[in-house]
Amino acid sequence: MKLHTDRIAPQFRRTLVGAAVLAFCSGSAIAAESFVVKDIRVEGIQRTEAGTVFSYLPVRVGETFSDDKSVATIKALYATGIFKDVKLERDGNVLVVIVEERPAIAKVDFKGTHEFEKDMLVKALKDIGVGEAKTFDKASVDRAEQELKRQYLSRGLYGVKITTTVTPMERNRVSIDFEVDEGDVARIKQINIVGNKAFGDKELKEQIALNTGGWFSWYTKSDQYSKTKLNGDIETLKSWYLDHGYIEMNVDSTQVSITPDKKDIYITINITEGEKYTVSDIKFEGEMFGREDELRQLVLLQKGKLYSGKLLTGTNKLITDRLGTFGFAFANVNANPEIDQAKREVAFTFFIDPGKRAYVRHVNISGNTTTRDEVIRREFRQFESSWYDASKIKQSRDRVDRTGYFKDVTVDTPEAQGTSDQVDINLSVVERPTGNFQIGGAFSQAEKFTFNAAIQQANFAGSGNTVGLELNTSKYSRTIAFSHTNPYFTPDGISRSYELYLRTFRPPAVNTGLYTIKQTGGRVSFGVPFSEQDTIFFGIGLEKSNVQTDDSSPTYFKQYVRDLGGPANGVGSVNAYSVPLTAAWARDSRDSAMTPTLGYMQRINLELDAIGESKYWRAVYETQWYKPLTNKITLALKGEVDYGRGFGGKNYPVFKNFYAGGIGSVRGYQSSSLGAVDPRTNDTLGGASRLIGNAELQMPFPGQGQDRSLRWFGFLDGGQVYAERQKMRLTELRFSAGLGLSWISPVGPLKLSYALPLNDKLGDRLERFQFQMGTGF
């Protein structure tokens, strides 16, 4: 660095030079003639304010300036990163600070970047000091270039070349251009596993994420090497061996090589399997509060059985969770293995340290921008200032998730700062759009395209109330309906729902017979919870049903008109007034309302009209059951049995008929097409009873990880509709199988399916591709 002046003594100039050099090289300085600073003047600044320079100076007016101050001043100004040259001069008793500013970055541009969005790159580089309005620093630009290369290497683009150009501009500014030649993606050509004897290469390769390519590699990029993925795969292999009794399995080394053209990657994983071990004994030590027998029942490992790392981890979790139900939030459970290599056995001693009993200090809720706090807090069963209970915390989390208002619900229980026996519960939610625009449709050769729509707000204004408006103005059915549900009509959790509707239904175009059913009415119902999972409902409604027929109508509808006092030939119009009384029971233990993976749901609904003219009763039983088969695959089963009858000399009303076919019942068959048909017109009539069964294997879409908002599934459906007093024969069930895709979209749940009917009969109306929005399993 050069320090000089023509206005001060040569001796002082040489002293400053020496001081600066020694400050940066040896850390010492030569003594110089000191003076009292009467004023400080800054020269050479363009963008920087003088006050900014003054704020960094270690000397002030009125203080004595010495060699120590000179060294400190130079170091302080260079440390700001703003200046590329600093000079100190003396003009009498005035200290003159002459600086040369580093250029400012006017713009940062990228060329040839296809793998990344430019906006993302601009933001990422700005975080490391290379961005508009930032001070130009060659070292930062070099770091930015290396970071870009690292990002490309993580995507398998090992042939990437980056050329950085810095162009000076007016007003001491520069433009930085990154020109990128991305090259070709390097793909995994071969994966070798060396040392495996117990399991074949194919079986082990199926466990890991990296592979040599497949059907979905374009989406999952599983054939692109990543060190992070490889490390994850190594841990997966270790877990696989541990779960099968190989407690001493070890990954000795890994080699990753790339061909000279940087297109093919070869991976070799060297392992030592060791021997397979069985469990010889299980012991307990530590504080168990006299509950050793109870805790022993939670042990998943069994004497004489094969060791499994998964079962050991599961045992630790079960014991920890059990202690958590007694308030021991910081319980620590460690399993100490004792390995007998000669006998190939392993014994475990579980050391239990419950720690201090804790209670909850605060329940904190975050992420709810629309939903009110009280809507979430009323679902909590773990209260502030009470003993910590892990089961109640899980129950609270599941209840919040089952509201259906959130895409994600997570709970964290950190130790409260400054205490040793308190925890805070931090509940974080990610809201989903609860305005649900439901549409349904299908494509068939007969009807081409059918469509219906409805609007529902499941969390109106964040209140937790559901407000729905259904509008359907298709050619074959018209509906205007308004509904409202308040799940907490009372503070105790009693819900209230009411609905007003006007519906008109005509047969679809595929039917040849014509008829019209118009229904006007309303209902109100209340739900009373009597346990955490069980709710009973009761309600009453008032309904007017108008049935109109003509000469082309099915005989079944004409008979109903005749039975209600209509014309003898059954052609005309009749009204039927109903006062349906309803009672229901529901139990719901699912872990989520939108994407359940565990638990079950049951519903029983009874409806009776003993006061009105219709005189009927009907019962509906529905059950859903979810079981995770792996950490990604869920088995989902659904069954429904419906049964109705007329009494008091009345037939079961046609406007209460059940229908089957399509999404929600038996996919692959046209909506509402199954069941009895009119012998004269061959029109579908529905029925007074129904059987439905569905089975699905649900899996996250490849590349989604644990995100279950986008899933694909394989399914098997079966079902049928039966006429009143017709025996429900299983031999008459229709079956279908196929594949589908479900997505929790911003406008509601979407389901697509392609089904193959398995035992369709002559006259069945088929519809292989179907879709619907606003429906679940």
Side-chain angles (χ1 to χ4, degrees):
M1 180 173 298
K2 190 176 181 182
L3 300 169
H4 62 87
T5 179
D6 296 329
R7 290 172 289 181
I8 59 178
Q11 177 61 36
F12 185 70
R13 180 170 65 244
R14 289 192 297 271
T15 300
L16 286 179
V17 172
V21 171
L22 291 176
F24 290 102
C25 298
S26 64
S28 61
I30 300 174
E33 183 181 351
S34 302
F35 68 96
V36 176
V37 178
K38 299 299 183 182
D39 195 10
I40 300 175
R41 187 168 71 245
V42 179
E43 297 179 358
I45 55 176
Q46 298 180 21
R47 300 182 313 276
T48 309
E49 295 291 335
T52 302
V53 178
F54 291 146
S55 67
Y56 290 112
L57 295 180
V59 62
R60 297 289 183 268
V61 173
E63 295 180 353
T64 300
F65 189 78
S66 62
D67 58 335
D68 291 338
K69 293 286 188 180
S70 69
V71 172
T73 300
I74 293 172
K75 293 178 68 174
L77 292 179
Y78 270 112
T80 64
I82 301 174
F83 311 109
K84 69 177 182 179
D85 194 14
V86 178
K87 301 174 184 178
L88 301 179
E89 296 182 355
R90 176 181 176 182
D91 186 5
N93 287 334
V94 176
L95 175 63
V96 182
V97 181
I98 304 173
V99 296
E100 183 180 350
E101 294 177 329
R102 293 182 183 274
I105 299 175
K107 68 173 184 175
V108 177
D109 197 14
F110 301 88
K111 297 178 182 178
T113 52
H114 306 291
E115 188 72 15
F116 299 96
E117 295 289 337
K118 284 188 177 181
D119 291 343
M120 187 193 76
L121 293 176
V122 169
K123 182 180 183 303
L125 295 192
K126 193 169 186 178
D127 292 339
I128 60 177
V130 179
E132 291 186 14
K134 296 281 188 178
T135 301
F136 171 74
D137 178 40
K138 182 62 168 60
S140 296
V141 174
D142 291 341
R143 286 197 303 271
E145 184 176 315
Q146 293 304 314
E147 175 63 19
L148 280 177
K149 286 183 179 179
R150 190 184 69 81
Q151 292 297 329
Y152 275 100
L153 293 178
S154 69
R155 297 286 182 96
L157 292 161
Y158 291 91
V160 64
K161 296 179 180 178
I162 301 175
T163 303
T164 306
T165 304
V166 180
T167 306
M169 300 178 66
E170 70 280 359
R171 301 197 306 277
N172 197 26
R173 299 182 302 160
V174 295
S175 170
I176 303 176
D177 297 295
F178 294 95
E179 187 170 346
V180 180
D181 179 5
E182 295 183 337
D184 297 325
V185 176
R187 302 190 183 278
I188 298 173
K189 186 71 173 179
Q190 188 174 348
I191 299 177
N192 299 311
I193 300 177
V194 179
N196 54 307
K197 299 176 182 178
F199 303 102
D201 288 357
K202 182 179 179 182
E203 188 173 10
L204 293 179
K205 289 177 183 178
E206 288 176 350
Q207 310 307 317
I208 61 179
L210 292 175
N211 56 51
T212 55
W215 286 80
F216 294 101
S217 295
W218 60 271
Y219 180 78
T220 63
K221 303 188 185 304
S222 59
D223 59 347
Q224 296 182 17
Y225 169 75
S226 164
K227 185 177 181 180
T228 302
K229 286 183 181 180
L230 180 58
N231 290 336
D233 285 344
I234 290 174
E235 294 304 316
T236 299
L237 285 177
K238 289 180 180 178
S239 297
W240 172 262
Y241 272 93
L242 288 173
D243 291 344
H244 290 80
Y246 293 88
I247 196 170
E248 295 177 320
M249 183 270 182
N250 184 55
V251 176
D252 301 320
S253 63
T254 59
Q255 291 89 37
V256 180
S257 59
I258 187 170
T259 55
D261 60 3
K262 299 184 184 297
K263 291 184 178 180
D264 297 328
I265 292 178
Y266 293 81
I267 300 174
T268 301
I269 303 174
N270 299 285
I271 67 174
T272 300
E273 291 181 331
E275 300 294 340
K276 187 185 295 187
Y277 282 77
T278 56
V279 179
S280 61
D281 196 13
I282 295 174
K283 302 176 184 178
F284 282 85
E285 291 187 11
E287 179 59 68
M288 290 167 279
F289 308 103
R291 297 179 178 270
E292 181 175 345
D293 292 340
E294 180 181 339
L295 297 180
R296 191 173 288 276
Q297 297 297 318
L298 302 175
V299 178
L300 302 177
L301 295 170
Q302 298 181 30
K303 293 182 182 179
K305 298 293 185 179
L306 198 65
Y307 165 76
S308 169
K310 180 187 293 185
L311 296 183
L312 179 62
T313 301
T315 298
N316 285 341
K317 185 177 186 305
L318 287 174
I319 296 175
T320 302
D321 290 347
R322 185 57 178 162
L323 293 172
T325 61
F326 304 131
F328 296 100
F330 311 113
N332 188 19
V333 178
N334 291 314
N336 185 28
E338 298 176 16
I339 298 176
D340 188 336
Q341 293 181 334
K343 296 182 179 180
R344 297 177 186 174
E345 293 179 341
V346 57
F348 288 96
T349 301
F350 288 89
F351 292 92
I352 299 176
D353 177 15
K356 290 185 178 181
R357 198 176 186 189
Y359 62 92
V360 176
R361 185 180 68 170
H362 297 306
V363 175
N364 305 311
I365 299 172
S366 62
N368 52 319
T369 57
T370 300
T371 308
R372 303 171 189 171
D373 267 19
E374 64 184 45
V375 173
I376 299 175
R377 289 184 183 276
R378 68 192 183 191
E379 302 297 337
F380 259 74
R381 295 301 178 262
Q382 171 70 70
F383 303 112
E384 295 177 340
S385 300
S386 63
W387 290 117
Y388 173 97
D389 189 330
S391 62
K392 289 183 178 179
I393 294 174
K394 181 182 183 303
Q395 188 179 73
S396 301
R397 182 258 168 217
D398 290 348
R399 287 181 62 91
V400 172
D401 201 350
R402 282 201 296 268
T403 62
Y405 307 152
F406 310 105
K407 291 191 295 185
D408 188 35
V409 180
T410 57
V411 172
D412 186 26
T413 55
E415 183 177 356
Q417 292 185 355
T419 68
S420 60
D421 62 348
Q422 298 180 43
V423 299
D424 289 334
I425 298 178
N426 298 329
L427 180 80
S428 177
V429 299
V430 178
E431 292 183 321
R432 71 175 185 88
T434 54
N436 192 5
F437 175 52
Q438 301 181 1
I439 63 174
F443 182 83
S444 68
Q445 293 180 340
E447 295 189 59
K448 301 303 180 186
F449 189 78
T450 59
F451 178 83
N452 58 67
I455 298 174
Q456 187 179 73
Q457 179 70 47
N459 186 17
F460 185 75
S463 65
N465 296 343
T466 298
V467 178
L469 177 64
E470 182 181 357
L471 299 173
N472 190 324
T473 59
S474 70
K475 182 178 180 181
Y476 309 111
S477 62
R478 296 183 179 180
T479 301
I480 301 176
F482 175 79
S483 61
H484 180 276
T485 299
N486 183 350
Y488 279 81
F489 178 61
T490 69
D492 296 330
I494 296 177
S495 64
R496 183 196 64 188
S497 300
Y498 60 81
E499 181 183 21
L500 300 173
Y501 54 85
L502 172 62
R503 297 190 177 100
T504 301
F505 176 75
R506 296 183 180 89
V510 71
N511 284 12
T512 57
L514 299 178
Y515 57 86
T516 302
I517 297 176
K518 294 182 179 180
Q519 290 182 303
T520 306
R523 64 175 182 84
V524 61
S525 64
F526 297 89
V528 182
F530 62 94
S531 79
E532 291 299 334
Q533 298 179 349
D534 299 272
T535 305
I536 58 173
F537 300 88
F538 57 91
I540 187 171
L542 179 62
E543 187 175 77
K544 173 188 174 183
S545 300
N546 175 264
V547 181
Q548 300 177 21
T549 59
D550 61 19
D551 290 331
S552 67
S553 300
T555 304
Y556 178 63
F557 286 84
K558 290 181 180 180
Q559 181 64 42
Y560 188 77
V561 170
R562 220 172 13 248
D563 292 344
L564 282 184
N569 63 355
V571 177
S573 175
V574 293
N575 293 325
Y577 293 91
S578 306
V579 185
L581 303 175
T582 58
W585 165 79
R587 170 174 288 177
D588 193 349
S589 67
R590 297 173 299 170
D591 58 351
S592 173
M594 299 302 297
T595 57
T597 59
L598 180 65
Y600 65 93
M601 184 274 292
Q602 295 184 82
R603 291 176 183 165
I604 297 177
N605 186 78
L606 300 175
E607 185 176 324
L608 170 69
D609 178 23
I611 303 174
E613 299 174 335
S614 298
K615 299 294 188 295
Y616 71 92
W617 67 270
R618 71 174 188 166
V620 174
Y621 172 74
E622 179 186 358
T623 182
Q624 296 180 19
W625 182 81
Y626 300 88
K627 174 70 174 179
L629 302 182
T630 69
N631 62 344
K632 291 185 178 181
I633 301 176
T634 299
L635 173 63
L637 302 177
K638 175 185 175 183
E640 185 172 344
V641 181
D642 309 320
Y643 195 83
R645 274 284 194 275
F647 64 90
K650 303 285 188 180
N651 289 325
Y652 188 74
V654 296
F655 48 81
K656 292 295 180 178
N657 274 357
F658 298 102
Y659 294 87
I663 287 184
S665 56
V666 187
R667 287 160 282 201
Y669 296 86
Q670 201 173 108
S671 179
S672 304
S673 67
L674 295 180
V677 297
D678 185 84
R680 182 174 61 87
T681 63
N682 202 38
D683 293 342
T684 57
L685 304 174
S689 57
R690 177 174 64 175
L691 284 176
I692 299 293
N694 311 101
E696 288 187 0
L697 279 177
Q698 303 173 344
M699 292 154 280
F701 199 75
Q704 292 295 113
Q706 296 300 316
D707 182 6
R708 306 188 70 87
S709 62
L710 179 62
R711 296 177 293 175
W712 68 284
F713 55 87
F715 64 85
L716 175 66
D717 293 343
Q720 186 58 279
V721 174
Y722 304 89
E724 187 176 13
R725 296 182 175 83
Q726 179 185 359
K727 189 174 181 180
M728 301 171 70
R729 293 185 174 88
L730 299 181
T731 55
E732 297 182 8
L733 293 176
R734 297 293 189 269
F735 293 95
S736 67
L739 296 173
L741 182 72
S742 65
W743 176 37
I744 309 299
S745 73
V747 294
L750 166 67
K751 223 172 192 182
L752 306 172
S753 67
Y754 183 83
L756 294 175
L758 300 179
N759 64 335
D760 53 295
K761 307 297 183 183
L762 183 64
D764 287 346
R765 298 165 183 175
L766 307 183
E767 198 168 65
R768 299 183 188 276
F769 174 73
Q770 295 170 321
F771 79 90
Q772 187 165 354
M773 293 193 70
T775 184
F777 174 69

